[in-house]
Amino acid sequence: MPKNSKAVKRELDEDVTESHKDLLSNEDACDDSFKKTSLIVNNHEGDGKECDVEEGGSDGEEEERPAWNSKLQYILAQVGFSVGLGNVWRFPYLCQKNGGGAYLVPYLILLILIGIPLFFLELAVGQRIRRGSIGVWNYISPRLGGIGFASCVVCFFVALYYNVIISWSLFYFSQSFQQPLPWHECPLVKNKTNTYVVPECEKSSATTYYWYREALNISDSISEGGGLNWKMTVCLLAAWSMVCLAMIKGIQSSGKVMYFSSLFPYVVLICFLVRALLLEGSMDGIRHMFTPKLEIMLEPKVWREAATQVFFALGLGFGGVIAFSSYNKRDNNCHFDAVLVSFINFFTSVLATLVVFAVLGFKANIMIIKCVNLNSKKIVSLLGNGIEESLIPHHINLTLPAQVSKEDYLEMFNVIKMVKEDDFPKLGLEDCSIEAELNKAVQGTGLAFIAFTEAMTHFPASPFWSVMFFLMLVNLGLGSMFGTIEGILTPLIDTFKVRKEFLTVGCCVLAFSIGLLFVQRSGNYFVAMFDDYSATLPLLIVVVLENVAVAWVYGIDKFFEDLKDMLGFTPYRFYYYMWKYITPILLLVLLGSSFVQLAMTPPSYSAWIQEEAKEQSMIFPPWGIVVCISLVVMAIMPVPVVFGLRYFNIIDENTSGLSTVSYKKGRIIKESARPGEDDDASLIQGKSPSEAPSPMPGNSIYRKQSNGGGPDADTAPNGRYGIGYLMADMPDIPESDL
C-alpha cells in the first residue's frame, strides 16, 4: 500500500459540496499545489499532515503557466508598467499648475487612500486566482465577467495611440545623431534674389516648427487627412516590431527586456539632473517648482486632478497589474510589492519633476538673457524719444546693451514704469521676469518635443543629451506597452487557449494596421482624441466595479481570509475599511466629477494653423463627436452585455464550450468532458500534463467517492468553470499546473 494511503482513505470518506466562492478560502494546508510554481508527486508522510505534493525533485513536472525568473524581474516589470511617459511630462505640469510643492500633499494623501489599496487589491486577486483579468472576474462572479473584457478593450485603445508616441520618440532619436541638431535653428529658403527664414518658423520657434512641420507635417484640422506621413509610418512599424518581438514569448522574453527598459530611464534622469544642476538658472527652476502655493490646495479641481494622476500613474484597471501578478507564486508577499512599487512610482515622478524644472530653469535663464538684450536695445532707441536719460541709473552702461545684467535691467524697468506710468504701455517694454517664463505651463508632447528639445540645443554636447533623452522616452513607453499588451494577451490566452505566439503577432499586426490612422497628417489630433476619451471614464467604471466585486460580491471577510492564507499574516485593518467604504466612495466622487467635466467641456482639440504659426482650439466636427462617444461606449459595453447574457441565461453560468480540468489534489486527472458526454467515464482516464489545459476556477467543487465510475455515480458538474476534485486509489499521475 502507498505511504499516502491514509490521506486517500480520509478523502474517500468525505462527501462535501462547496460553493465556488469558497474555492480559495477553503483550501487546506496540504494544498501546496496552489502555492508552488513547480510541483512533483512525492509520496511521503508529513509532520502531522499528509500531503500529496511538494515542491522540488527531479521527477517533477513544471506547470504550464510561466513564472518570473526572479522577484527582481517581477518588480521591474511592475515598475516599468506603472512608470511611464506621464511621470515625465504630466506630473511636473500638474505640480506647476496646482501649487508647486503643495501639490505633493494631496497627491500623497490620495496615493494612500486610493492608489495603494487598489494596487494591492489587483495584485492580490491576480496572484491568488492566477488568471488574467477575464478569468479573475469570471471567478469572482460570472455576471461581472465583462469587467475583464472591458479592460482588454481599453488596453487595446490605449496601445493604439501609446505606441504612436513611442514612434515619435524613435523618429527624434534617429535624428539626434548630428551636430548641430536639426531643430537647432530655423531653416532658410533661397530664391534668385535673397535668402530668408521660413515664415512659419520665424513666427513660432525652431523646435516648434520642427515638431509640427518636419516631424508631423500636420494638417490644419482633423477633417484634413492629408495622407500618410511615411517617416512616421516607418517609425510606427519599428515600434510595433519591437513590442511584438519582446512579447512573443510572454514574460520569458519581455521579462529579460525589463532589466534594461525599466532601469535605463533612471540612469538618464540622474545624469540629466546632475548635468542640469551645473547649468546657470537650474536652481531658479527648482525653487519655482517647490515654492508652495497653499491657497490652491483648497480648490476641488486640484484634488480631482491629483486623484486622476494617482489612478493612471499606477496603471489601475488596465489588467496589466493583474496579468503580471498572475505569474507569481501563491505565497509571494504582494502587500510589500504594492507599497514598494507605489512609492517607487511617486519618487520617480518627483525625480522627473526635479529634472524637468532644472532644465526649464536653464532654458528660462537663456530666454531672460535674450529678453534683457532685446529690451535694452529698445530702451537705447527710445532715449530722448519717450525716455529721458536721467531715468537711467548712473551705474548702468547702455553703450553695450548686450552686457546689461538681469538685475540692472529690472532696476531700470521699474524706474521707467513708475515715472512713465500713463505712457508706459506704449513703450512696449517687457519685464523679463523668470517667474513669468516658468509659469508658461507645458505638458505632454509640448514639453517633450518642444520645450525640452529647445533646452537641449543649448547644452554642451547637445546631440549626446538628445540621444539619451529620446532613448529614455522610448524605454519608458516600452515598459508601459509591455504591461498594456500583457493586459490584452494574458486574459485572452487563459480564456480561449490560443497560442501566445499567434495571438501576439495577430494583435500587433491588427494594431499597426489601425494605427495608420495616427500617422497621417491629421494623426496628432486622433491621438489627442483617444487620449482624452478612450480611457478615463471606462477605466474609472472598471475599477469601481473591481472594488465592489471583491468587497461586496465576493465578500471582504472571505477575501481577508484568502489574504491571510496567502501572505501568512492578516493585512492591516486599514485595508478592510478602505476597500469596503472609503475607496469606493472616493472613486464614485471622482467618476462623477470626471463625467461632469467631460459633459460640460465641449469635445475640442488644439489645431496647428500653418499660416498663423500658432495653436488654436477647435471643436470636433459632428463625426468626431460621434467617435468620441463611441470610444467611451465601446470600452464599457462588455460589462452590461456580459451581465445581461448571464442574467437572462442566454449564456449559462455553469456551462460553456471551453474545456475545464478535473483535479486529483495537485494532479490533473482528465480534461473534463463537454456537456452531454459521460463525465464519470472521463474522470478515470488519465491525461498527461502536456495535453491538459490550464484550469479555470469553478462554480462548485465535489469531493467524490471513487467507486462510482458508472452513470449512477455522484458526478461533478463540468461547465465552463467547473472543477471536479477526485481522490482515487489509483497510480500516481503526473501533475500539471494550477
Side-chain angles (χ1 to χ4, degrees), residues 7-16 703-705:
V8 173
K9 288 181 179 179
R10 185 182 60 201
E11 294 295 339
L12 291 178
D13 293 332
E14 293 182 6
D15 186 7
V16 182
R703 289 177 179 165
K704 313 184 329 176
Q705 303 288 344

Side-chain angles (χ1 to χ4, degrees), residues 433-508:
S433 166
I434 196 166
E435 294 295 320
E437 187 66 31
L438 287 169
N439 277 329
K440 294 177 181 177
V442 286
Q443 65 164 324
T445 54
L447 174 65
F449 298 109
I450 297 176
F452 221 86
T453 50
E454 183 175 349
M456 286 187 296
T457 58
H458 302 290
F459 276 31
S462 55
F464 168 77
W465 293 105
S466 183
V467 167
M468 294 285 282
F469 177 70
F470 289 110
L471 187 57
M472 178 190 72
L473 290 188
V474 169
N475 278 278
L476 284 172
L478 285 177
S480 297
M481 273 298 294
F482 294 156
T484 304
I485 297 297
E486 199 67 57
I488 302 171
L489 300 180
T490 298
L492 293 179
I493 291 167
D494 289 343
T495 305
F496 301 108
K497 311 301 179 191
V498 291
R499 285 197 61 178
K500 180 105 183 178
E501 295 84 353
F502 294 155
L503 184 61
T504 304
V505 173
C507 179
C508 291

